[in-house]
Structure formats: structure tokens, C-alpha cells
Amino acid sequence: SESSCSKDCEDKVSQFYDRILSNKDIFVHALSSSPLLKQNCVIEDIRLGSLQIIMRVPTVESLDCLSRSYQCGELSGLVNRTLISQRVMEDLGISNLVLQVKMKDSDVKKVRDELISIHAMRSSSRSGSVGKVVRPKTSLGISRHEKGWCLN
């Protein structure tokens, strides 16, 4: 029945979450080691709520690179290759699992504005030090929608 299929799907997603979170350090290291992310951000954490990958983006150029990688599907491929292995699918008893990566335009704009503001503060400082400047963060996460689960 459809409800038992839905329950089975939810159980498998819970198992997937548990596997990711119980091996969080390994996955953070694996994602952080990829050239795309290594050059453009620092992976700080993986959390539930939905599955969120928390990144610290140091520059507007880095943000632009991540945004372009997202738009062409490269970021989605990286996340899928890193988080989903054949063994994970076998252990969960599924034949296919695809995570869909989402980055909201509004979040990208917010982070961009914060980075520009930080740069302006640093540029206007005569002494060259503004104190500790906190880099803005952006995140990716898995959430449920009408067609299943999606990484956003």
C-alpha cells in the first residue's frame, strides 16, 4: 500500500540521516577535501532539521564559484558522490538514491551583501584591523517536499 511504502521510505531516510550524522566527521572531511569546496569554503558542520551542510564562504569570488557550481549541477554531483555510496544503498536496501541540492537566490544575495559589507569595513579601516570579522555562512539541507526529499 502507498502508506506502507511512504513509511518504508521515511524509515530509509531516517537510516540515511543516522548514517551521515554518526559519521559526520568523515563526511565533513570528504566534502572539505574536494577541490571545489576546499578552494571556496570551509565545511563547518552537518546538522539535522533537514540535513544541512554548513559552509563558511570567505569571499564574493568563492560564493560566485559555488553558485556557478550549483547552477551547472557540479555541486549536486559532488554531494551525491560524497554522501551516497553503493554500500549505503545496499545497507538501506534501496537501488537508487539521489539528493537534490538547493541554494536559495535570497540566501546567496544575503551572503553576498554581507561579504561586500565586510570588505567595505576592512577597506575603510585606517589601522587595517576591524577586530574579529565573522564570515557569513550559508547552508544546504535535505527537506521533504511533494516529490520526496530534496537537499536545499
Side-chain angles (χ1 to χ4, degrees), residues 6-152:
S6 176
K7 174 72 174 131
D8 186 49
C9 180
E10 287 182 24
D11 289 343
K12 295 205 185 292
V13 169
S14 287
Q15 290 173 26
F16 176 72
Y17 278 175
D18 292 344
R19 178 175 288 252
I20 295 296
L21 292 178
S22 65
N23 296 292
K24 179 169 52 172
D25 292 341
I26 293 168
F27 288 111
V28 166
H29 176 73
L31 285 167
S32 297
S33 298
S34 74
L36 171 65
L37 298 182
K38 186 177 192 176
Q39 295 169 7
N40 293 295
C41 67
V42 175
I43 306 291
E44 293 194 337
D45 200 3
I46 297 178
R47 301 179 187 157
L48 275 182
S50 56
L51 184 64
Q52 295 181 332
I53 302 169
I54 310 302
M55 302 177 203
R56 189 172 300 275
V57 183
T59 65
V60 172
E61 293 78 15
S62 296
L63 180 64
D64 289 344
C65 181
L66 288 173
S67 183
R68 283 190 306 274
S69 297
Y70 162 71
Q71 290 169 357
C72 76
E74 181 182 10
L75 188 57
S76 178
L78 171 67
V79 168
N80 277 281
R81 287 188 307 275
T82 303
L83 299 183
I84 302 171
S85 67
Q86 189 61 40
R87 181 167 180 226
V88 167
M89 290 191 299
E90 288 171 3
D91 288 351
L92 295 175
I94 57 178
S95 60
N96 191 27
L97 177 62
V98 177
L99 302 177
Q100 183 181 20
V101 174
K102 296 279 185 187
M103 286 176 64
K104 295 179 185 174
D105 289 339
S106 59
D107 290 342
V108 171
K109 182 183 179 337
K110 178 182 171 190
V111 171
R112 174 185 297 283
D113 291 346
E114 289 176 27
L115 286 167
I116 290 169
S117 175
I118 289 168
H119 179 71
M121 285 183 352
R122 284 191 170 169
S123 296
S124 66
S125 172
R126 290 187 186 155
S127 68
S129 86
V130 180
K132 184 175 181 186
V133 177
V134 176
R135 297 280 186 207
K137 296 179 186 178
T138 187
S139 67
L140 306 171
I142 296 177
S143 61
R144 186 171 182 135
H145 63 27
E146 64 278 356
K147 294 183 181 177
W149 294 87
C150 99
L151 192 67
N152 61 25

